[in-house]
């Protein structure tokens, strides 16, 4: 297991100050145990599925994506963003405003989405953040830790 910090500087498609965090090989293989792991950190898993194939972000919530099976290449930071390969056990933490999309995935690709307490009613934005959306992104309260229990880096 190791932690990667991805600093995305994509105007309108990334958080203004916080990086994306990727914990490789952190989660246990059992889906219920993986979701329980983030729940102990105050993040609630709300769904199991894949990732949309179009660029989008959430302006009002942090999001943790825990890979349960299969492999995928995701794009982070909008249409001109950075490709990132993910595999079972990986936990990706996206600050509000972080664009993401599925570029390719195996047929058995499955992950869960988890959100901090109070941020379970997330939106979907498909265009770069305008000034009003950017203010909403900046105002989202940062959880005490990421979904793995690690402190945030500014």
């Amino acid at each position: 297991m190791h932690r990667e910090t991805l600093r995305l500087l994509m105007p309108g498609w990334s958080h203004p100050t916080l990086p994306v965090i990727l914990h490789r090989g952190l989660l246990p293989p059992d889906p219920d145990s993986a979701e329980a792991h983030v729940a102990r950190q105050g993040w609630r898993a709300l769904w199991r599925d894949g990732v949309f194939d179009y660029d989008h972000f959430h302006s009002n919530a942090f999001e943790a994506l825990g890979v349960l099976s299969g492999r995928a290449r995701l794009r982070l930071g909008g249409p001109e963003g950075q490709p990132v390969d993910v595999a079972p056990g990986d936990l990706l933490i996206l600050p509000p405003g972080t664009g993401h999309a599925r570029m390719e995935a195996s047929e058995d690709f499955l992950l869960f989405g988890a959100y901090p307490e109070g941020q379970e009613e997330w939106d979907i934005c498909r265009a770069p953040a305008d000034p009003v959306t950017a203010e909403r992104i900046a105002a989202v309260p940062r959880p005490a830790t990421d979904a793995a229990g690690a402190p945030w880096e500014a």
Side-chain angles (χ1 to χ4, degrees), residues 2 18 29-30 53 73 80 82 105 107 112-113 136 140 149:
H2 71 277
L18 293 175
D30 173 66
D53 63 357
R73 174 165 283 180
E80 304 299 319
Q82 175 179 340
E107 286 189 29
F112 66 83
R136 188 167 52 250
V140 176

Side-chain angles (χ1 to χ4, degrees), residues 2-132:
H2 71 277
R3 174 182 167 143
E4 297 175 20
T5 301
L6 308 172
R7 298 211 177 268
L8 305 174
L9 302 173
M10 311 304 273
W13 290 102
S14 60
H15 192 276
T17 60
L18 293 175
V20 170
I21 304 297
L22 176 54
H23 295 276
R24 298 263 185 205
L26 172 78
L27 297 174
D30 173 66
D32 293 333
S33 297
E35 290 176 357
H37 180 85
V38 300
R40 287 189 293 275
Q41 312 311 321
W43 293 61
R44 183 172 161 216
L46 296 179
W47 54 266
R48 291 181 187 172
D49 204 343
V51 175
F52 295 130
D53 63 357
Y54 55 83
D55 292 290
H56 67 286
F57 64 85
H58 312 293
S59 71
N60 60 350
F62 283 78
E63 181 176 48
L65 300 175
V67 182
L68 300 170
S69 63
R71 298 187 178 277
R73 174 165 283 180
L74 307 178
R75 182 175 50 241
L76 303 178
E80 304 299 319
Q82 175 179 340
V84 174
D85 294 322
V86 294
D90 291 350
L91 180 64
L92 188 64
I93 295 98
L94 306 174
T98 303
H100 52 290
R102 181 188 76 242
M103 297 174 72
E104 58 187 62
S106 62
E107 286 189 29
D108 61 340
F109 180 62
L110 179 68
L111 50 70
F112 66 83
Y115 307 86
E117 183 177 335
Q119 297 180 21
E120 298 92 346
E121 301 280 332
W122 39 269
D123 60 5
I124 295 178
C125 302
R126 294 181 64 173
D130 60 26
V132 171

